[in-house]
Amino acid sequence: MALELPALPYEKNALEPHMSANTLDFHHGKHHNAYVTKGNELLADAGIEGDDLEELVRATVSHKGPLFNNVAQCYNHTFFWNSLSPTGGGQPSGAIAAKINEDFGSFDAFRSEFINGGVGQFGSGWVWLVAAGGKLKVVKSANAETPLTEGATPILVCDVWEHAYYLDFQNRRPDFLASFLDNLVNWDFANQNLAKA
Ligand code: MN3
């Protein structure tokens, strides 16, 4: 399969005022699209094929460098768009709510750990909620790195590259992370991923 730019699962202005259509124009239409274009060139050069995006990420991890970076960024961004919802944010419900309480002690403890993880990622990267070894954990990854290749099941992700928030929040990454959790995070998607973990 070739990499493709997926349609956003909501209208471009549907996340306003928390994430602007302008941010999505650049972030989805330019940044993500550039990873698709470059990733397809490098996959063709390397003669690597796969049936789905996760398989391509696993097939390129040993290559490191631009090939893995562009393919993994396609996976990470697609996962990020699905981690957002116009009706998201706030307290979780369902199985993910109980599991967060079990593994972090409380929703507030999880919320602090997730925000601190994103703030503490020096430079570009991602902060994730993952399931690993039967437990939920907050992990961060640098640049294009993804817990998919570390044996963990991704549950949610927030992009903390500056391009994810600079147009809306300028340098205020902590405010962006708080807004992600309070206004946008898609707990239905988290529950779907937890069910597969
Ligand atoms: Mn990004």
Side-chain angles (χ1 to χ4, degrees), residues 27 77 159 163:
H27 197 179
H77 280 90
D159 189 339
H163 67 223

Side-chain angles (χ1 to χ4, degrees), residues 3 34-49 60 63-71:
L3 301 170
Y35 297 128
V36 170
T37 304
K38 192 68 188 170
N40 279 327
E41 281 175 33
L42 296 171
L43 283 168
D45 289 349
I48 292 177
E49 295 184 349
T60 55
H63 292 251
K64 294 292 178 191
L67 174 57
F68 171 76
N69 288 341
N70 282 280
V71 172

Side-chain angles (χ1 to χ4, degrees), residues 27 31-32 35 73 77 80-81 126 159-161 163-164:
H27 197 179
H31 289 273
H32 187 169
Y35 297 128
Q73 284 294 75
H77 280 90
F80 178 52
W81 308 133
W126 304 81
D159 189 339
V160 296
W161 285 59
H163 67 223

Side-chain angles (χ1 to χ4, degrees), residues 12-28:
K12 214 173 272 179
N13 62 0
L15 305 181
E16 292 185 343
H18 313 295
M19 186 178 289
S20 64
N22 194 26
T23 284
L24 286 171
D25 258 335
F26 278 91
H27 197 179
H28 176 261

Side-chain angles (χ1 to χ4, degrees), residues 118-187:
V119 171
Q121 170 53 40
F122 186 80
S124 295
W126 304 81
V127 58
W128 304 79
L129 178 65
V130 303
K135 290 197 77 151
L136 292 179
K137 291 174 191 162
V138 169
V139 297
K140 52 196 180 181
S141 67
N143 300 315
E145 286 170 15
T146 178
L148 185 66
T149 59
E150 309 285 331
T153 302
I155 305 291
L156 290 169
V157 74
C158 187
D159 189 339
V160 296
W161 285 59
E162 277 190 351
H163 67 223
Y165 59 87
Y166 211 85
L167 294 175
D168 296 329
F169 291 87
Q170 289 75 54
N171 62 323
R172 293 178 286 116
R173 191 192 287 187
D175 293 351
F176 167 65
L177 284 155
S179 179
F180 169 81
L181 289 177
D182 296 344
N183 302 305
L184 296 175
V185 66
N186 186 340
W187 292 119

